[in-house]
Amino acid sequence: MRILVLGGNGFVGRAVVDDALAQGAEVTSFSRGRSGTPLPAAVTQLVGDREAGDYAALRSGEWDAVVDLSGFRTRDVDQAMDVLGDRVGRYVFVSSHAVYVRDLPAGTDETAPRREPMRDADVLTNETYGPCKVACEDDVVERYGERATLVRPGRVTGPGDSSGTALYWIRRGARGGRVALPTKPEAPLQLVDSRDVARLITRLVGDDRSGAFNAIGPDSTIAELIRTAAELSGATVEIVPIPFDAVPPRFPLMDPEPEWGERRRNPAKARAAGMPVTPLRKTVEDVLRWDHDRGAPPLSMGLTKEQEQQLLGQ
C-alpha cells in the first residue's frame, strides 16, 4: 500500500504517518518541512508549498491513496487534485465537525445538515472555517466520486498536540487547587485521540471505503478532563464555576450552552469501520508525559495564574 500524506509533519499528520508505517505501508509526505518533529527515515519526504501553489514535487509518482490534512480552502484541494489526477486511487479528505450547522441536538450522525459552502476566505475563523471545509468536501466528492472519503474529526488531542486547546485544561488540572471554570462542570466533551483518528484513516484506506465518517472520541465532560489530569498528577482540585463572559472569547474548549448538543455527535459509523476508542485517562496520561518530556513550554492561551486568582477572588 502506497500512501501520500499532504501535511505529514503536522500533529494529526504525524499520527497518520506513524500508523501507516506500522501497517506496512510505503509512506510519502508532502509539506513545507518547516515545522513538526522530524519524520522517520522510512518516509519519502517531498517539499512544496500549498499556499504558494507549489506542487512541483507531486508531478510524478503514483499512490493507492492520498490523505489530505492541509486542505482548508477549495483552491488547496482543487490544485492538489489537478496535479494528482488519476495517479491516486482514493482521496481521503480530513475535514472537520465544523461542517455541520450549529445548534444541532445531541446524537446526530453523518447525515446531519451541513453549513452553506464558502469557496474562499481571507481569514479562517469560527464563521469561515466550517463553510470552507464544506466546499472542499464537495469538490473532492465531485472529482473522485466513490473514490472519495471524508473524515470529520471532532476536537483532537494526544501526544504532539501543541495547540494548547486541551493542553491548557490538562495542565491546569495537573497543577491542582481551585480551578476557575467559565462554564458548568457538566459541559460535554468528546475529545478524540489523534492516534484513533489515524487508525481510522488507515483502516478506511486499507478497506477502500468511501463516504463520510465522524471521528469522535468517548463521551466525557470538562470536569472529568480536569479531574483526570489532577488524579494522574497526584493533585486535588476544586472546580469553581465563573461567568462565561468573564474570560476572553474563544477560550479553550468553551462553548455556549445552546451549542452543547453538537458536542455529543454519533461516532457509530466510524467505530464500526474500525476506529478504536482510547480511554480519556490514557490520552491525558500520554499528553502529560509528552508535555513533561518537551519541557512544558508556555502556552499562548488560557489564564495566567495571576488572572485566575483575580477571577477567583471576585
Side-chain angles (χ1 to χ4, degrees), residues 245-282:
D245 58 2
V247 296
R250 299 194 66 183
F251 201 77
L253 300 185
M254 294 297 102
D255 300 294
E257 193 165 344
E259 297 179 15
W260 283 7
E262 64 187 75
R263 301 302 165 197
R264 294 285 194 215
R265 300 197 194 282
N266 186 342
K269 185 178 178 184
R271 292 180 184 175
M275 185 182 77
V277 185
T278 299
L280 180 67
R281 182 183 180 87
K282 172 62 175 173

mmCIF file of all heavy atoms in Angstrom, residues 245-282:
data_model
loop_
_atom_site.group_PDB
_atom_site.id
_atom_site.type_symbol
_atom_site.label_atom_id
_atom_site.label_comp_id
_atom_site.label_asym_id
_atom_site.label_seq_id
_atom_site.Cartn_x
_atom_site.Cartn_y
_atom_site.Cartn_z
ATOM 1 N N ASP A 245 -18.721 34.899 30.343
ATOM 2 C CA ASP A 245 -18.146 36.094 29.725
ATOM 3 C C ASP A 245 -17.039 36.730 30.577
ATOM 4 O O ASP A 245 -16.569 37.826 30.276
ATOM 5 C CB ASP A 245 -19.227 37.123 29.428
ATOM 6 C CG ASP A 245 -20.001 37.554 30.671
ATOM 7 O OD1 ASP A 245 -19.669 37.086 31.780
ATOM 8 O OD2 ASP A 245 -20.938 38.369 30.527
ATOM 9 N N ALA A 246 -16.589 36.023 31.619
ATOM 10 C CA ALA A 246 -15.512 36.555 32.452
ATOM 11 C C ALA A 246 -14.142 36.335 31.817
ATOM 12 O O ALA A 246 -13.140 36.883 32.280
ATOM 13 C CB ALA A 246 -15.547 35.917 33.837
ATOM 14 N N VAL A 247 -14.104 35.519 30.757
ATOM 15 C CA VAL A 247 -12.850 35.212 30.070
ATOM 16 C C VAL A 247 -12.951 35.685 28.619
ATOM 17 O O VAL A 247 -14.048 35.963 28.121
ATOM 18 C CB VAL A 247 -12.542 33.706 30.119
ATOM 19 C CG1 VAL A 247 -12.307 33.247 31.552
ATOM 20 C CG2 VAL A 247 -13.665 32.894 29.477
ATOM 21 N N PRO A 248 -11.837 35.800 27.930
ATOM 22 C CA PRO A 248 -11.874 36.260 26.532
ATOM 23 C C PRO A 248 -12.668 35.315 25.637
ATOM 24 O O PRO A 248 -12.825 34.120 25.944
ATOM 25 C CB PRO A 248 -10.396 36.281 26.136
ATOM 26 C CG PRO A 248 -9.644 36.355 27.422
ATOM 27 C CD PRO A 248 -10.469 35.607 28.420
ATOM 28 N N PRO A 249 -13.182 35.815 24.509
ATOM 29 C CA PRO A 249 -13.870 34.945 23.546
ATOM 30 C C PRO A 249 -12.936 33.842 23.046
ATOM 31 O O PRO A 249 -11.719 33.978 23.069
ATOM 32 C CB PRO A 249 -14.258 35.903 22.414
ATOM 33 C CG PRO A 249 -14.235 37.269 23.022
ATOM 34 C CD PRO A 249 -13.173 37.229 24.077
ATOM 35 N N ARG A 250 -13.524 32.723 22.597
ATOM 36 C CA ARG A 250 -12.781 31.582 22.069
ATOM 37 C C ARG A 250 -11.823 31.020 23.115
ATOM 38 O O ARG A 250 -10.708 30.622 22.823
ATOM 39 C CB ARG A 250 -12.037 31.952 20.786
ATOM 40 C CG ARG A 250 -12.932 32.414 19.645
ATOM 41 C CD ARG A 250 -12.185 32.441 18.325
ATOM 42 N NE ARG A 250 -11.804 31.080 17.916
ATOM 43 C CZ ARG A 250 -11.085 30.825 16.821
ATOM 44 N NH1 ARG A 250 -10.665 31.802 16.047
ATOM 45 N NH2 ARG A 250 -10.788 29.568 16.505
ATOM 46 N N PHE A 251 -12.269 30.988 24.349
ATOM 47 C CA PHE A 251 -11.474 30.393 25.418
ATOM 48 C C PHE A 251 -11.407 28.883 25.195
ATOM 49 O O PHE A 251 -12.366 28.281 24.700
ATOM 50 C CB PHE A 251 -12.112 30.725 26.773
ATOM 51 C CG PHE A 251 -11.180 30.607 27.934
ATOM 52 C CD1 PHE A 251 -10.247 31.596 28.183
ATOM 53 C CD2 PHE A 251 -11.227 29.517 28.788
ATOM 54 C CE1 PHE A 251 -9.376 31.498 29.265
ATOM 55 C CE2 PHE A 251 -10.369 29.401 29.860
ATOM 56 C CZ PHE A 251 -9.436 30.405 30.100
ATOM 57 N N PRO A 252 -10.307 28.234 25.555
ATOM 58 C CA PRO A 252 -10.132 26.807 25.243
ATOM 59 C C PRO A 252 -11.291 25.919 25.685
ATOM 60 O O PRO A 252 -11.673 25.913 26.855
ATOM 61 C CB PRO A 252 -8.844 26.445 26.004
ATOM 62 C CG PRO A 252 -8.083 27.724 26.085
ATOM 63 C CD PRO A 252 -9.125 28.803 26.233
ATOM 64 N N LEU A 253 -11.856 25.204 24.721
ATOM 65 C CA LEU A 253 -12.905 24.196 24.931
ATOM 66 C C LEU A 253 -14.211 24.758 25.463
ATOM 67 O O LEU A 253 -15.067 23.988 25.902
ATOM 68 C CB LEU A 253 -12.414 23.072 25.867
ATOM 69 C CG LEU A 253 -11.201 22.275 25.411
ATOM 70 C CD1 LEU A 253 -10.923 21.133 26.395
ATOM 71 C CD2 LEU A 253 -11.371 21.721 24.013
ATOM 72 N N MET A 254 -14.390 26.053 25.430
ATOM 73 C CA MET A 254 -15.616 26.644 25.940
ATOM 74 C C MET A 254 -16.612 26.882 24.804
ATOM 75 O O MET A 254 -16.262 27.450 23.767
ATOM 76 C CB MET A 254 -15.323 27.977 26.636
ATOM 77 C CG MET A 254 -14.495 27.857 27.909
ATOM 78 S SD MET A 254 -15.306 26.907 29.234
ATOM 79 C CE MET A 254 -14.436 25.328 29.092
ATOM 80 N N ASP A 255 -17.856 26.447 25.012
ATOM 81 C CA ASP A 255 -18.920 26.644 24.041
ATOM 82 C C ASP A 255 -20.161 27.175 24.750
ATOM 83 O O ASP A 255 -20.453 26.772 25.877
ATOM 84 C CB ASP A 255 -19.290 25.322 23.365
ATOM 85 C CG ASP A 255 -18.115 24.709 22.635
ATOM 86 O OD1 ASP A 255 -17.663 25.309 21.653
ATOM 87 O OD2 ASP A 255 -17.660 23.629 23.056
ATOM 88 N N PRO A 256 -20.928 28.064 24.093
ATOM 89 C CA PRO A 256 -22.203 28.487 24.674
ATOM 90 C C PRO A 256 -23.106 27.274 24.890
ATOM 91 O O PRO A 256 -23.095 26.323 24.096
ATOM 92 C CB PRO A 256 -22.779 29.419 23.602
ATOM 93 C CG PRO A 256 -21.606 29.842 22.773
ATOM 94 C CD PRO A 256 -20.653 28.697 22.797
ATOM 95 N N GLU A 257 -23.866 27.296 25.948
ATOM 96 C CA GLU A 257 -24.705 26.131 26.279
ATOM 97 C C GLU A 257 -25.635 25.714 25.143
ATOM 98 O O GLU A 257 -25.862 24.510 24.956
ATOM 99 C CB GLU A 257 -25.494 26.407 27.561
ATOM 100 C CG GLU A 257 -26.132 25.169 28.139
ATOM 101 C CD GLU A 257 -26.594 25.348 29.576
ATOM 102 O OE1 GLU A 257 -26.163 26.328 30.238
ATOM 103 O OE2 GLU A 257 -27.388 24.503 30.042
ATOM 104 N N PRO A 258 -26.206 26.656 24.339
ATOM 105 C CA PRO A 258 -27.057 26.211 23.230
ATOM 106 C C PRO A 258 -26.331 25.335 22.198
ATOM 107 O O PRO A 258 -26.986 24.648 21.414
ATOM 108 C CB PRO A 258 -27.514 27.531 22.594
ATOM 109 C CG PRO A 258 -27.443 28.530 23.701
ATOM 110 C CD PRO A 258 -26.239 28.125 24.495
ATOM 111 N N GLU A 259 -24.989 25.362 22.187
ATOM 112 C CA GLU A 259 -24.235 24.563 21.222
ATOM 113 C C GLU A 259 -23.741 23.244 21.801
ATOM 114 O O GLU A 259 -23.006 22.500 21.146
ATOM 115 C CB GLU A 259 -23.037 25.374 20.700
ATOM 116 C CG GLU A 259 -23.434 26.620 19.933
ATOM 117 C CD GLU A 259 -22.240 27.429 19.442
ATOM 118 O OE1 GLU A 259 -21.117 26.882 19.441
ATOM 119 O OE2 GLU A 259 -22.417 28.596 19.058
ATOM 120 N N TRP A 260 -24.161 22.917 23.009
ATOM 121 C CA TRP A 260 -23.673 21.692 23.641
ATOM 122 C C TRP A 260 -24.099 20.436 22.895
ATOM 123 O O TRP A 260 -23.405 19.419 22.942
ATOM 124 C CB TRP A 260 -24.159 21.615 25.092
ATOM 125 C CG TRP A 260 -23.391 22.498 26.025
ATOM 126 C CD1 TRP A 260 -22.432 23.415 25.693
ATOM 127 C CD2 TRP A 260 -23.514 22.538 27.448
ATOM 128 N NE1 TRP A 260 -21.953 24.033 26.821
ATOM 129 C CE2 TRP A 260 -22.601 23.514 27.916
ATOM 130 C CE3 TRP A 260 -24.301 21.864 28.375
ATOM 131 C CZ2 TRP A 260 -22.457 23.822 29.267
ATOM 132 C CZ3 TRP A 260 -24.164 22.158 29.719
ATOM 133 C CH2 TRP A 260 -23.251 23.135 30.167
ATOM 134 N N GLY A 261 -25.241 20.492 22.230
ATOM 135 C CA GLY A 261 -25.717 19.302 21.520
ATOM 136 C C GLY A 261 -24.711 18.785 20.516
ATOM 137 O O GLY A 261 -24.562 17.571 20.326
ATOM 138 N N GLU A 262 -23.998 19.691 19.852
ATOM 139 C CA GLU A 262 -23.045 19.259 18.841
ATOM 140 C C GLU A 262 -21.775 18.672 19.450
ATOM 141 O O GLU A 262 -20.888 18.206 18.727
ATOM 142 C CB GLU A 262 -22.699 20.404 17.907
ATOM 143 C CG GLU A 262 -21.996 21.580 18.565
ATOM 144 C CD GLU A 262 -21.853 22.745 17.594
ATOM 145 O OE1 GLU A 262 -22.857 23.431 17.327
ATOM 146 O OE2 GLU A 262 -20.739 22.945 17.095
ATOM 147 N N ARG A 263 -21.660 18.699 20.769
ATOM 148 C CA ARG A 263 -20.546 18.027 21.442
ATOM 149 C C ARG A 263 -20.915 16.601 21.817
ATOM 150 O O ARG A 263 -20.187 15.927 22.540
ATOM 151 C CB ARG A 263 -20.142 18.813 22.696
ATOM 152 C CG ARG A 263 -19.726 20.236 22.409
ATOM 153 C CD ARG A 263 -18.558 20.302 21.445
ATOM 154 N NE ARG A 263 -18.382 21.633 20.905
ATOM 155 C CZ ARG A 263 -17.666 21.914 19.830
ATOM 156 N NH1 ARG A 263 -17.074 20.952 19.168
ATOM 157 N NH2 ARG A 263 -17.557 23.156 19.400
ATOM 158 N N ARG A 264 -22.058 16.130 21.326
ATOM 159 C CA ARG A 264 -22.480 14.751 21.556
ATOM 160 C C ARG A 264 -22.863 14.130 20.216
ATOM 161 O O ARG A 264 -23.973 13.683 20.009
ATOM 162 C CB ARG A 264 -23.687 14.707 22.504
ATOM 163 C CG ARG A 264 -23.393 15.177 23.917
ATOM 164 C CD ARG A 264 -22.606 14.132 24.690
ATOM 165 N NE ARG A 264 -22.613 14.417 26.124
ATOM 166 C CZ ARG A 264 -21.585 14.167 26.929
ATOM 167 N NH1 ARG A 264 -20.489 13.643 26.452
ATOM 168 N NH2 ARG A 264 -21.655 14.439 28.216
ATOM 169 N N ARG A 265 -21.935 14.113 19.280
ATOM 170 C CA ARG A 265 -22.233 13.528 17.978
ATOM 171 C C ARG A 265 -22.165 11.996 18.054
ATOM 172 O O ARG A 265 -21.607 11.417 18.984
ATOM 173 C CB ARG A 265 -21.246 14.039 16.934
ATOM 174 C CG ARG A 265 -21.272 15.547 16.771
ATOM 175 C CD ARG A 265 -20.612 15.969 15.483
ATOM 176 N NE ARG A 265 -20.345 17.395 15.461
ATOM 177 C CZ ARG A 265 -21.241 18.333 15.220
ATOM 178 N NH1 ARG A 265 -22.492 17.987 14.971
ATOM 179 N NH2 ARG A 265 -20.905 19.609 15.218
ATOM 180 N N ASN A 266 -22.704 11.356 17.037
ATOM 181 C CA ASN A 266 -22.768 9.897 16.983
ATOM 182 C C ASN A 266 -21.556 9.353 16.224
ATOM 183 O O ASN A 266 -21.424 9.578 15.021
ATOM 184 C CB ASN A 266 -24.058 9.469 16.291
ATOM 185 C CG ASN A 266 -24.277 7.974 16.328
ATOM 186 O OD1 ASN A 266 -23.351 7.208 16.561
ATOM 187 N ND2 ASN A 266 -25.506 7.544 16.085
ATOM 188 N N PRO A 267 -20.665 8.614 16.891
ATOM 189 C CA PRO A 267 -19.472 8.076 16.223
ATOM 190 C C PRO A 267 -19.629 6.641 15.740
ATOM 191 O O PRO A 267 -18.644 5.993 15.377
ATOM 192 C CB PRO A 267 -18.426 8.145 17.331
ATOM 193 C CG PRO A 267 -19.218 7.834 18.568
ATOM 194 C CD PRO A 267 -20.618 8.387 18.341
ATOM 195 N N ALA A 268 -20.873 6.113 15.731
ATOM 196 C CA ALA A 268 -21.079 4.683 15.485
ATOM 197 C C ALA A 268 -20.510 4.233 14.146
ATOM 198 O O ALA A 268 -19.917 3.148 14.044
ATOM 199 C CB ALA A 268 -22.563 4.352 15.566
ATOM 200 N N LYS A 269 -20.662 5.040 13.111
ATOM 201 C CA LYS A 269 -20.214 4.624 11.779
ATOM 202 C C LYS A 269 -18.697 4.476 11.740
ATOM 203 O O LYS A 269 -18.172 3.496 11.190
ATOM 204 C CB LYS A 269 -20.678 5.639 10.734
ATOM 205 C CG LYS A 269 -20.365 5.240 9.303
ATOM 206 C CD LYS A 269 -20.897 6.277 8.317
ATOM 207 C CE LYS A 269 -20.544 5.900 6.881
ATOM 208 N NZ LYS A 269 -20.977 6.953 5.913
ATOM 209 N N ALA A 270 -17.988 5.437 12.332
ATOM 210 C CA ALA A 270 -16.525 5.361 12.346
ATOM 211 C C ALA A 270 -16.042 4.185 13.181
ATOM 212 O O ALA A 270 -15.089 3.487 12.810
ATOM 213 C CB ALA A 270 -15.945 6.673 12.880
ATOM 214 N N ARG A 271 -16.692 3.947 14.303
ATOM 215 C CA ARG A 271 -16.272 2.833 15.149
ATOM 216 C C ARG A 271 -16.540 1.501 14.472
ATOM 217 O O ARG A 271 -15.744 0.559 14.579
ATOM 218 C CB ARG A 271 -16.960 2.928 16.507
ATOM 219 C CG ARG A 271 -16.469 4.138 17.309
ATOM 220 C CD ARG A 271 -17.121 4.266 18.662
ATOM 221 N NE ARG A 271 -16.687 5.491 19.326
ATOM 222 C CZ ARG A 271 -17.158 5.926 20.485
ATOM 223 N NH1 ARG A 271 -18.074 5.214 21.137
ATOM 224 N NH2 ARG A 271 -16.711 7.055 21.012
ATOM 225 N N ALA A 272 -17.634 1.407 13.741
ATOM 226 C CA ALA A 272 -17.918 0.178 13.006
ATOM 227 C C ALA A 272 -16.901 -0.043 11.894
ATOM 228 O O ALA A 272 -16.634 -1.190 11.506
ATOM 229 C CB ALA A 272 -19.324 0.237 12.415
ATOM 230 N N ALA A 273 -16.315 1.049 11.401
ATOM 231 C CA ALA A 273 -15.305 0.948 10.344
ATOM 232 C C ALA A 273 -13.926 0.639 10.899
ATOM 233 O O ALA A 273 -12.976 0.455 10.125
ATOM 234 C CB ALA A 273 -15.263 2.250 9.542
ATOM 235 N N GLY A 274 -13.793 0.598 12.224
ATOM 236 C CA GLY A 274 -12.524 0.202 12.815
ATOM 237 C C GLY A 274 -11.815 1.245 13.638
ATOM 238 O O GLY A 274 -10.663 1.039 14.031
ATOM 239 N N MET A 275 -12.461 2.380 13.930
ATOM 240 C CA MET A 275 -11.809 3.387 14.754
ATOM 241 C C MET A 275 -11.798 2.935 16.210
ATOM 242 O O MET A 275 -12.844 2.691 16.796
ATOM 243 C CB MET A 275 -12.525 4.735 14.651
ATOM 244 C CG MET A 275 -11.790 5.852 15.400
ATOM 245 S SD MET A 275 -12.655 7.449 15.350
ATOM 246 C CE MET A 275 -13.951 7.140 16.575
ATOM 247 N N PRO A 276 -10.629 2.838 16.832
ATOM 248 C CA PRO A 276 -10.575 2.455 18.249
ATOM 249 C C PRO A 276 -11.005 3.604 19.146
ATOM 250 O O PRO A 276 -11.179 4.739 18.684
ATOM 251 C CB PRO A 276 -9.097 2.109 18.455
ATOM 252 C CG PRO A 276 -8.374 2.909 17.427
ATOM 253 C CD PRO A 276 -9.294 3.026 16.248
ATOM 254 N N VAL A 277 -11.171 3.315 20.420
ATOM 255 C CA VAL A 277 -11.562 4.329 21.394
ATOM 256 C C VAL A 277 -10.561 4.305 22.542
ATOM 257 O O VAL A 277 -10.675 3.503 23.470
ATOM 258 C CB VAL A 277 -13.001 4.091 21.919
ATOM 259 C CG1 VAL A 277 -13.404 5.235 22.842
ATOM 260 C CG2 VAL A 277 -13.991 3.977 20.767
ATOM 261 N N THR A 278 -9.579 5.170 22.479
ATOM 262 C CA THR A 278 -8.624 5.274 23.572
ATOM 263 C C THR A 278 -9.313 5.940 24.764
ATOM 264 O O THR A 278 -9.896 7.019 24.607
ATOM 265 C CB THR A 278 -7.403 6.110 23.149
ATOM 266 O OG1 THR A 278 -6.755 5.461 22.059
ATOM 267 C CG2 THR A 278 -6.419 6.260 24.308
ATOM 268 N N PRO A 279 -9.268 5.345 25.956
ATOM 269 C CA PRO A 279 -9.902 5.966 27.123
ATOM 270 C C PRO A 279 -9.306 7.348 27.387
ATOM 271 O O PRO A 279 -8.099 7.572 27.174
ATOM 272 C CB PRO A 279 -9.591 4.995 28.262
ATOM 273 C CG PRO A 279 -9.331 3.685 27.595
ATOM 274 C CD PRO A 279 -8.680 4.027 26.284
ATOM 275 N N LEU A 280 -10.136 8.259 27.867
ATOM 276 C CA LEU A 280 -9.668 9.616 28.152
ATOM 277 C C LEU A 280 -8.469 9.596 29.089
ATOM 278 O O LEU A 280 -7.508 10.355 28.905
ATOM 279 C CB LEU A 280 -10.808 10.438 28.761
ATOM 280 C CG LEU A 280 -10.451 11.897 29.122
ATOM 281 C CD1 LEU A 280 -10.181 12.711 27.877
ATOM 282 C CD2 LEU A 280 -11.579 12.529 29.946
ATOM 283 N N ARG A 281 -8.507 8.735 30.083
ATOM 284 C CA ARG A 281 -7.409 8.682 31.050
ATOM 285 C C ARG A 281 -6.076 8.364 30.367
ATOM 286 O O ARG A 281 -5.043 8.969 30.679
ATOM 287 C CB ARG A 281 -7.716 7.632 32.124
ATOM 288 C CG ARG A 281 -6.648 7.542 33.219
ATOM 289 C CD ARG A 281 -6.966 6.436 34.215
ATOM 290 N NE ARG A 281 -5.949 6.342 35.247
ATOM 291 C CZ ARG A 281 -5.961 7.045 36.373
ATOM 292 N NH1 ARG A 281 -6.958 7.880 36.603
ATOM 293 N NH2 ARG A 281 -4.988 6.916 37.263
ATOM 294 N N LYS A 282 -6.086 7.435 29.431
ATOM 295 C CA LYS A 282 -4.864 7.062 28.719
ATOM 296 C C LYS A 282 -4.363 8.232 27.875
ATOM 297 O O LYS A 282 -3.151 8.516 27.828
ATOM 298 C CB LYS A 282 -5.140 5.841 27.848
ATOM 299 C CG LYS A 282 -4.014 5.449 26.904
ATOM 300 C CD LYS A 282 -2.744 5.065 27.650
ATOM 301 C CE LYS A 282 -1.682 4.551 26.669
ATOM 302 N NZ LYS A 282 -0.369 4.334 27.335
#
